[in-house]
Amino acid sequence: MALRRILKFPDPVLRQPTVAVGDVSAHKDLAKLVADMTDTMYASNGAGLAAIQVGDTRRLFIVDASIAGGAENDPPRVFIDPEISYLSPETEQTEEGCLSFPGIYLDVKRSLKATIKATGLDGKRFELSAEGLFARALQHENDHLTGKLLVDFAGPLKRQMIKRKMEKLNRAELEGDDLDDAATAD
Ligand code: NI
């Protein structure tokens, strides 16, 4: 089990352009990346995670199996080079979180249904249609691959509040790290 550090807003890498994977077999480290992302996502009780959130710019994300129509103990579903081909005009507004914004929840309006094409870890292209929470997760994770983040759905006041809260959290985390470093240096 290998955990990767989840980048937190406003880390600029979260806004960086992502790069298409293309031929899966040409990326020998992809299975390891997905395994690490899986461990990292579950260690933080997440339901989805994009590679860019652990600092890898390749276009892929994972979604927890129980949300993605699988059994609870199935591995997460992997979406490589995803393209959303349909979004329903019917929408739903629900509170949404993100592992790059710990403790922050925001009402986000999303399409109720979505169709997505993507490549699996086996290199095969597939298409599926999703509804409700699964459709929401697909839209949220796909946003990560275009640099769009939860904070972008907030109004100007709330946006400032989120920024301040995250900067405070990041400072606290940094100070915690310094303490750890000092402890291990001795
Ligand atoms: Ni997210």
Side-chain angles (χ1 to χ4, degrees), residues 48-50 53 96-101 140-141 144 148-150:
L49 186 69
Q53 290 179 278
E96 210 171 287
C98 176
L99 292 178
S100 293
F101 295 79
H140 177 106
E141 298 312 327
H144 274 296
K148 190 168 186 182
L149 298 169
L150 191 61

Side-chain angles (χ1 to χ4, degrees), residues 8-10 165-175:
K8 311 286 182 343
F9 179 80
K165 211 169 161 181
M166 287 304 302
E167 279 164 355
K168 197 172 159 189
L169 192 113
N170 288 333
R171 265 198 306 277
E173 199 173 84
L174 214 65
E175 278 158 21

Side-chain angles (χ1 to χ4, degrees), residues 60-94:
L60 73 116
F61 62 76
I62 58 174
V63 175
D64 172 64
S66 58
I67 288 174
E72 205 170 320
N73 292 323
D74 284 350
R77 184 112 205 200
V78 185
F79 298 83
I80 299 165
D81 294 341
E83 290 169 72
I84 291 184
S85 56
Y86 170 76
L87 289 172
S88 70
E90 316 96 276
T91 56
E92 188 178 51
Q93 185 155 319
T94 303

Side-chain angles (χ1 to χ4, degrees), residues 66-148:
S66 58
I67 288 174
E72 205 170 320
N73 292 323
D74 284 350
R77 184 112 205 200
V78 185
F79 298 83
I80 299 165
D81 294 341
E83 290 169 72
I84 291 184
S85 56
Y86 170 76
L87 289 172
S88 70
E90 316 96 276
T91 56
E92 188 178 51
Q93 185 155 319
T94 303
E95 204 169 63
E96 210 171 287
C98 176
L99 292 178
S100 293
F101 295 79
I104 288 170
Y105 298 91
L106 208 65
D107 270 346
V108 180
K109 196 196 263 185
R110 300 279 191 191
S111 286
L112 197 58
K113 294 175 187 171
T115 302
I116 194 166
K117 287 176 190 163
T119 306
L121 261 186
D122 58 3
K124 290 196 183 97
R125 205 77 185 145
F126 64 88
E127 182 177 39
L128 62 81
S129 292
E131 212 180 310
L133 191 55
F134 186 17
R136 174 171 295 270
L138 291 175
Q139 291 166 76
H140 177 106
E141 298 312 327
N142 197 64
D143 276 353
H144 274 296
L145 304 185
T146 64
K148 190 168 186 182

